[in-house]
Amino acid sequence: MMEPLAVDLLVIGFGKGGKTLAATMGRRGKRVVMVEASDQMYGGTCINVGCVPTKALVHRADTRRPDDGEEAWYSQAIGAVTDLTTLLRGKNFEMLDNIDTVTVVTGKASFVDSKTVEVSAGTDRLTISADTVIINTGSVPVIPDIPGLRFSRYAATSTDMLQTSQLPKRLAVLGGGYLGLEFAAMYRRFGSEVTVLEAQPKFIGREDDDVAEAALGILRDQGITLLAGSRVTEIRDGASGATIHYEQDGHAHTLETDTILVATGRSPATAGLNLDAANIRVTDLGAVEVDEHLRTSQPHVFAIGDVNGGPQFTYISLDDNRVVADQFIGHGKRSTADRLAVPHTVFITPPLSTVGLTETQAREQGHRVKIASKPIAQIAAMPRARIMEDTRGMMKFIIDADTDLLLGAALLSIDSQELINLVALAMRHQVTASELRDTIYNHPSSTEALNEVLANTA
């Protein structure tokens, strides 16, 4: 046992919200301890196994030329991404380590009571007591209870895929959500034969049919096989690959593959925290239960990021940090209820970015709507798409016919991950569609498309 520590703030988990909060309070002179289970996860999921490495691989996949050898290019890409994550991991550690009042402890934390945790690393044990505790442990991949899957030699999570330099010749993706489609598009560009199996009857089912079909058409044109309504029943390992047994439309099928990417979602990472000892409640789905200020059932304990069951995005974790920080150094009024028009992006190529309501949702809610929609290839005011040699996709805006306010948007185009932020900001501040239509935008830019698309409403 090491000498116990008593601090003002204990943060369990080095994710975006937790590290930002630790740095903020440390710079204000508070005694802070950051506990992270692995030295390979300094900086959190996004930097090490999430947003940064996956989007870096998307970029490298998109820049592969026809003459570049598939396996060599992929191996080089994995090496470059590993170098990038190593660099950023070190910078994140230094960000906290350079603050005199902040201590980084590597080990697994387990609650002893609501203000005390024990951190274990091998045979070492450290007890830490804190006035305030932040649970920021993130989420872990969900492995469905499919016979043969959990112990298949050929099954991998997204984290596993980022750590191997061998390009699979045949890749089967279980799950057609954000992660599944991003990896499918990426690996197809690297040269893999890709099949995506989705249990739901439709891919991208949350979006309007016209938007979903435009995105799926791009994926199909790239040579990706999309199997909706496919229920996987068994995985059988062979000598050099696996056989996936699945049912579709009442018929049994098989699929031979070299690698199975399990992309069926993520669940809050609470295993080993011993939350019962702290009398911290969890939801039926296993997330740490919080109120709108992110307090748990213990008022001095907060849960931020994926572990609290909210939207699983890094930028939501960052905003969780703002909500909690407002309790410490603000007016204590900021809450999760303040979030409006939060954008999302699926980083296929070109990316699909959405915010707000779909046309279907808007009509179901009783809005009288106008629709402004146009294929990218037909937007004369958007020469950037031709400059970048990618005119695939479409833009669609849902407008309240009575107020001229934007209710939602779906942008499938180059630069949509940037453009959607402008649209979301306009929605939050009630900028009308007409104002966006008549604003001066620099040239050549993707934003110019707003001048033309919003001028054509139906």
Side-chain angles (χ1 to χ4, degrees):
M1 293 292 293
M2 303 170 69
E3 278 294 315
L5 292 178
V7 297
D8 299 308
L9 176 66
L10 167 63
V11 181
I12 306 173
F14 214 133
K16 183 68 171 181
K19 69 187 180 187
T20 307
L21 194 57
T24 298
M25 302 311 294
R27 293 190 185 104
R28 288 175 169 264
K30 298 296 184 181
R31 296 165 299 166
V32 180
V33 168
M34 163 66 75
V35 176
E36 172 52 53
S38 169
D39 60 4
Q40 296 302 297
M41 289 297 290
Y42 295 152
T45 295
C46 177
I47 284 173
N48 293 289
V49 296
C51 325
V52 171
T54 57
K55 278 51 177 181
L57 280 180
V58 168
H59 167 70
R60 291 182 175 274
D62 286 343
T63 55
R64 186 178 77 84
R65 299 160 299 188
D67 293 338
D68 293 320
E70 295 173 356
E71 293 185 3
W73 187 263
Y74 178 71
S75 178
Q76 181 187 56
I78 288 289
V81 169
T82 299
D83 290 343
L84 174 61
T85 55
T86 300
L87 172 68
L88 294 177
R89 188 162 56 245
K91 288 186 175 296
N92 272 262
F93 175 79
E94 291 173 5
M95 178 187 77
L96 293 186
D97 192 55
N98 288 338
I99 302 173
D100 291 340
T101 59
V102 177
T103 302
V104 177
V105 174
T106 306
K108 296 181 179 180
S110 177
F111 280 94
V112 176
D113 58 45
S114 68
K115 289 194 173 185
T116 310
V117 303
E118 181 180 89
V119 181
S120 60
T123 59
D124 293 333
R125 298 290 185 273
L126 172 64
T127 299
I128 305 171
S129 60
D131 297 329
T132 304
V133 181
I134 309 295
I135 303 172
N136 183 48
T137 48
S139 59
V140 293
V142 172
I143 307 299
D145 190 20
I146 297 171
L149 177 61
R150 188 172 299 276
F151 300 106
S152 171
R153 300 192 306 276
Y154 306 101
T157 65
S158 58
T159 299
D160 299 327
M161 298 290 286
L162 296 172
Q163 296 172 346
T164 177
S165 59
Q166 183 174 354
L167 178 69
K169 179 175 175 57
R170 300 168 299 177
L171 174 66
V173 181
L174 304 188
Y178 280 25
L179 181 66
L181 292 182
E182 287 179 2
F183 270 69
M186 176 207 313
Y187 275 88
R188 182 68 192 117
R189 292 284 291 177
F190 276 125
S192 299
E193 298 174 10
V194 180
T195 301
V196 186
L197 299 99
E198 169 56 51
Q200 295 299 315
K202 296 169 62 175
F203 281 90
I204 320 180
R206 182 190 176 280
E207 303 306 324
D208 291 322
D209 289 346
D210 53 348
V211 174
E213 191 51 43
L216 296 175
I218 290 172
L219 296 176
R220 292 191 190 101
D221 288 346
Q222 292 174 350
I224 297 170
T225 301
L226 301 170
L227 302 176
S230 299
R231 187 176 71 88
V232 177
T233 57
E234 186 181 8
I235 307 295
R236 293 183 185 176
D237 280 5
S240 58
T243 302
I244 298 174
H245 294 255
Y246 67 96
E247 295 177 353
Q248 187 182 45
D249 298 327
H251 299 284
H253 303 271
T254 59
L255 174 68
E256 303 295 326
T257 188
D258 303 320
T259 302
I260 303 169
L261 170 61
V262 184
T264 48
R266 297 176 68 88
S267 61
T270 58
L273 286 177
N274 197 24
L275 296 175
D276 287 345
N279 290 317
I280 294 173
R281 292 194 297 267
V282 297
T283 68
D284 292 340
L285 297 177
V288 178
E289 185 179 285
V290 294
D291 64 14
E292 66 178 16
H293 300 292
L294 303 175
R295 291 184 187 273
T296 70
S297 50
Q298 294 287 351
H300 62 281
V301 180
F302 297 79
I304 64 178
D306 293 1
V307 76
N308 67 24
Q312 295 180 346
F313 300 107
T314 294
Y315 46 92
I316 293 296
S317 180
L318 179 62
D319 196 60
D320 282 355
N321 145 78
R322 299 185 187 110
V323 171
V324 176
D326 189 51
Q327 297 292 309
F328 300 161
I329 57 178
H331 299 290
K333 295 182 179 180
R334 188 165 188 153
S335 79
T336 56
D338 299 329
R339 293 174 183 156
L340 301 171
V342 177
H344 313 101
T345 297
V346 187
F347 282 87
I348 55 177
T349 302
L352 170 61
S353 302
T354 60
V355 65
L357 302 178
T358 63
E359 177 183 353
T360 302
Q361 292 169 335
R363 294 189 188 282
E364 287 175 347
Q365 292 183 18
H367 293 280
R368 196 168 66 88
V369 302
K370 296 186 297 182
I371 303 300
S373 179
K374 204 166 191 180
I376 299 300
Q378 296 178 17
I379 304 176
M382 189 184 175
R384 177 164 167 76
R386 290 178 172 78
I387 292 170
M388 301 303 293
E389 299 181 306
D390 193 346
T391 59
R392 296 173 296 174
M394 64 178 291
M395 290 188 179
K396 180 176 183 177
F397 296 88
I398 297 86
I399 305 161
D400 189 298
D402 298 318
T403 64
D404 197 33
L405 294 175
L406 290 168
L407 298 173
L411 312 179
L412 176 63
S413 72
I414 62 165
D415 300 332
S416 75
Q417 77 279 8
E418 303 293 344
L419 184 54
I420 200 69
N421 292 318
L422 172 65
V423 177
L425 185 67
M427 290 174 64
R428 286 193 291 271
H429 292 276
Q430 297 192 317
V431 176
T432 65
S434 297
E435 288 177 283
L436 281 179
R437 178 197 65 203
D438 297 335
T439 293
I440 299 172
Y441 301 111
N442 68 333
H443 175 81
S445 69
S446 293
T447 322
E448 291 178 288
L450 299 182
N451 295 141
E452 182 172 329
V453 177
L454 290 173
N456 296 276
T457 58

